[in-house]
Amino acid sequence: MSKRNVIIGRIGEIALKGLNRSTFEAQLAKNMKHAISDCGNFKVNWSQSRFFVEGVDDTFKIDYAAECLTKVFGLVSVSPAWSMNTDYEEIKKTAVEVTELKLSTMTPDKGGKISFKVETRRADKKFPMNSQEISADIGGMLLEKFDVLTVDVKNPDFILYVEVRENSYVYTDILPAQGGMPVGCNGKACLLLSGGIDSPVAGYMIAKRGVSLMAVHFFSYPYTSERAKEKVLELAGIVSKYSGPIKVYVVPYTDTQLAINDNCRAELSTVIMRRSMMRIAERIARKNGCSALITGESLGQVASQTMHAIYCTNEAANMPVFRPLIGMDKMETVDIARKIGTFETSILPYEDCCTVFTPKHPKTKPSLNELLEEEKKFDYKELEDIAFNNCEIIRC
Ligand code: ATP
Ligand code: MG
C-alpha cells in the first residue's frame, strides 16, 4: 500500500563538496530534525543527493513539516510524496490515485483539458524498465484513464514525478527552499540587530552560508521603549526559523549614548556611536566564540554608511565585519525581507536608538583623526565596560 508519508529533500551546493561532504550531510540532517521537532514522529535518512523524512506513525504532520523544511539552509526544494515498495503494479496504482487527487484541485482550460507529463528518475538501475519507458507507459495509462488529460512535455499544467529507488515515490509538488549551506558548518558570527529592515536580512544572508548566529541589540531605555525591544526579539525569532536558535544580548546603552551626545560634536556623533557599538559587539562576540560581526549596512544609504563613515566605523573593530547588503539597493533588501517574513515586523513604528539621537546635519566625510580626538573628550571605556557587563540575555 502506498502512503503519503515521506518528504523528499533535495540538496544544492553540498553535492559539490568532496571528501568532507558527509560532514555537511550530517549537519543538514541534524538541522532538519530540529526544524521539524514538533511535527510528530519521523526518521531522517539520505542517499545519492536526496534526503528522506519518513513519518513513522499518524502523528506526522507532513504538510507543516514540509513548510518548516523549506526554511532549512542546505535544501533547495522539498516534495511531500507517496511512498511504496518498488513494485511496478503498486507504482502504477499510486500514479492513478495521485493524478486523481491532483486533478480534483485543478480547473480545465477552455477546451476542457488539463495538460501533464510524467517525469521519471530511476536510481535503482536493476529495475527492468528505464526512465523513458516508465514515463511513457505510465503517461499512456493515465491518458486512457482520465479524459481531461492531454500531454504537453514543454509547458504542462502539472508534472507527475516518479522516483524508482530501493523504495519508490510518486508526487506532483516541488516546494522551493532556500539553498545555501547547513547552519553549523561554517563557524559563528554576531549580528548587530536593530529593529529595522536591513539587519535581519543581513543575518539571514550570512546564516545561509552555514554560519550560526548570535545577536546584539543596543537598547537606550527610556529613549527607546520596551515595545521596540520586543520587536527586535520578534525579528530574532523569525530569523531563527532559518538560522536555528539565536542568543540575543540586549546591551543597556543609554548612558554611553547620552555621554556621546553631551560631549561630542553633533555632526560626528553617529559615527562615534557606531564605533562604540562595534567595540562592545566585538567583546560580546569573542566571549561567545564568534569569528565575525554582521551588520545591515549598505554603501551610501545614510550619512553613517558613506565610504568614509564605514572606513571610520570599521577601524574600531578587530575582527572581520560582514556587510552582506553593502552593494544592494533598498528595494532588493525589501524583497528579501518580504520573502523571509521579517518586513511586516520591521516596519512597525517603534523607534531605534540610532534614529532617536540622529543629528540634523551628520558629516558624510568624517576623518578618523577628528573622531579619535572627539573620543578623548569622555571616558567611553568605563561606560562601555558597564554596558558590556550588564547585558540582558534572551534566547530566541
Ligand atoms: P537597519 O534597517 O538594520 O536598522 P539602517 O539602515 O537603519 O539599518 P543604521 O541605523 O545606520 O542603518 O544601522 C546600520 C547597522 O548598524 C544596522 O543594520 C545594524 O546592523 C546596526 N545597528 C543599528 N542600530 C542598532 C542597534 N540599536 N542595535 C544593534 N545594532 C544596530
Ligand atoms: Mg536602523
Side-chain angles (χ1 to χ4, degrees):
M1 258 304 280
S2 69
K3 217 173 159 204
R4 186 170 177 269
N5 67 340
V6 171
I7 301 169
I8 300 174
R10 299 172 194 81
I11 57 174
E13 220 177 301
I14 302 174
L16 306 175
K17 294 284 168 197
L19 289 176
N20 53 1
R21 177 167 162 176
S22 60
T23 318
F24 288 87
E25 289 174 332
Q27 185 70 51
L28 177 57
K30 191 173 156 199
N31 297 353
M32 288 169 68
K33 285 179 197 163
H34 183 266
I36 57 173
S37 54
D38 62 347
C39 295
N41 297 322
F42 59 86
K43 54 184 195 219
V44 176
N45 52 62
W46 61 95
S47 74
Q48 296 172 320
S49 301
R50 286 279 200 271
F51 279 71
F52 300 93
V53 179
E54 188 182 348
V56 294
D57 56 33
D58 289 344
T59 62
F60 186 51
K61 297 181 221 144
I62 186 166
D63 289 304
Y64 177 47
E67 190 199 319
C68 295
L69 290 174
T70 63
K71 297 190 166 131
V72 176
F73 293 129
L75 292 174
V76 292
S77 64
V78 301
S79 293
W82 281 257
S83 72
M84 70 226 77
N85 294 328
T86 295
D87 168 275
Y88 194 52
E89 288 311 310
E90 193 66 36
I91 295 172
K92 284 203 297 191
K93 211 170 109 209
T94 307
V96 172
E97 287 167 10
V98 174
T99 302
E100 192 163 20
L101 197 73
K102 184 71 182 171
L103 290 174
S104 72
T105 66
M106 300 177 79
T107 334
D109 65 11
K110 285 190 202 108
K113 291 291 185 188
I114 293 174
S115 63
F116 85 117
K117 74 169 173 180
V118 179
E119 234 177 71
T120 304
R121 213 180 138 115
R122 185 190 57 145
D124 176 3
K125 299 297 175 209
K126 292 197 294 281
F127 195 77
M129 297 161 82
N130 70 27
S131 49
Q132 275 101 350
E133 288 165 346
I134 299 169
S135 293
D137 189 51
I138 293 183
M141 173 197 70
L142 294 173
L143 270 177
E144 242 170 62
K145 271 227 149 52
F146 299 99
D147 287 343
V148 72
L149 284 179
T150 172
V151 172
D152 181 345
V153 289
K154 282 223 175 84
N155 191 21
D157 295 329
F158 78 94
I159 301 175
L160 185 87
Y161 297 93
V162 177
E163 294 202 11
V164 180
R165 302 169 172 274
E166 204 175 322
N167 288 315
S168 290
Y169 306 90
V170 175
Y171 56 92
T172 52
D173 296 333
I174 296 182
L175 315 178
Q178 312 298 315
M181 308 294 293
V183 169
C185 284
N186 203 2
K188 187 172 172 188
C190 175
L191 170 66
L192 280 79
L193 182 61
S194 71
I197 295 168
D198 301 333
S199 44
V201 173
Y204 163 88
M205 286 176 72
I206 296 300
K208 185 174 174 180
R209 299 310 301 162
V211 178
S212 307
L213 296 184
M214 67 163 297
V216 170
H217 176 65
F218 294 91
F219 184 51
S220 290
Y221 189 80
Y223 299 93
T224 53
S225 65
E226 203 55 42
R227 295 227 304 216
K229 181 168 102 184
E230 292 305 320
K231 171 183 162 180
V232 169
L233 297 176
E234 197 181 316
L235 287 170
I238 300 171
V239 175
S240 77
K241 294 273 184 288
Y242 303 88
S243 67
I246 298 178
K247 187 158 81 168
V248 182
Y249 274 59
V250 178
V251 183
Y253 200 53
T254 319
D255 292 344
T256 312
Q257 200 157 23
L258 286 174
I260 294 171
N261 245 47
D262 292 347
N263 295 294
C264 304
R265 280 158 56 198
E267 74 267 25
L268 296 175
S269 62
T270 309
V271 180
I272 292 172
M273 179 190 74
R274 305 220 21 86
R275 285 171 52 82
S276 150
M277 285 181 169
M278 286 292 170
R279 285 189 294 263
I280 298 173
E282 180 173 336
R283 289 173 72 176
I284 295 170
R286 288 195 191 280
K287 188 175 166 183
N288 284 276
C290 297
S291 317
L293 301 175
I294 306 166
T295 77
E297 289 161 308
S298 161
L299 201 54
Q301 193 186 76
V302 288
S304 58
Q305 295 174 30
T306 61
M307 181 72 87
H308 301 80
I310 287 186
Y311 175 86
C312 295
T313 302
N314 202 64
E315 197 272 345
N318 288 306
M319 58 168 53
V321 181
F322 295 149
R323 299 178 172 88
L325 311 188
I326 198 73
M328 284 170 61
D329 289 354
K330 193 73 181 187
M331 286 320 296
E332 294 171 309
T333 305
V334 166
D335 283 347
I336 300 178
R338 283 190 200 280
K339 193 188 88 184
I340 67 175
T342 52
F343 183 74
E344 295 302 328
T345 305
S346 287
I347 59 171
L348 293 173
Y350 309 129
E351 64 299 319
D352 178 63
C353 68
C354 283
T355 40
V356 172
F357 290 89
T358 305
K360 274 213 176 63
H361 302 290
K363 195 165 181 182
T364 53
K365 288 188 184 174
S367 77
L368 187 55
N369 276 341
E370 65 183 344
L371 291 167
L372 294 173
E373 282 308 308
E374 287 302 298
E375 284 176 355
K376 285 181 188 155
K377 292 184 181 168
F378 71 110
D379 189 354
Y380 67 81
K381 285 204 181 76
E382 192 190 349
L383 289 163
E384 289 175 7
D385 277 346
I386 295 171
F388 172 71
N389 287 319
N390 288 282
C391 294
E392 183 189 358
I393 301 171
I394 297 145
R395 283 161 212 279
C396 295

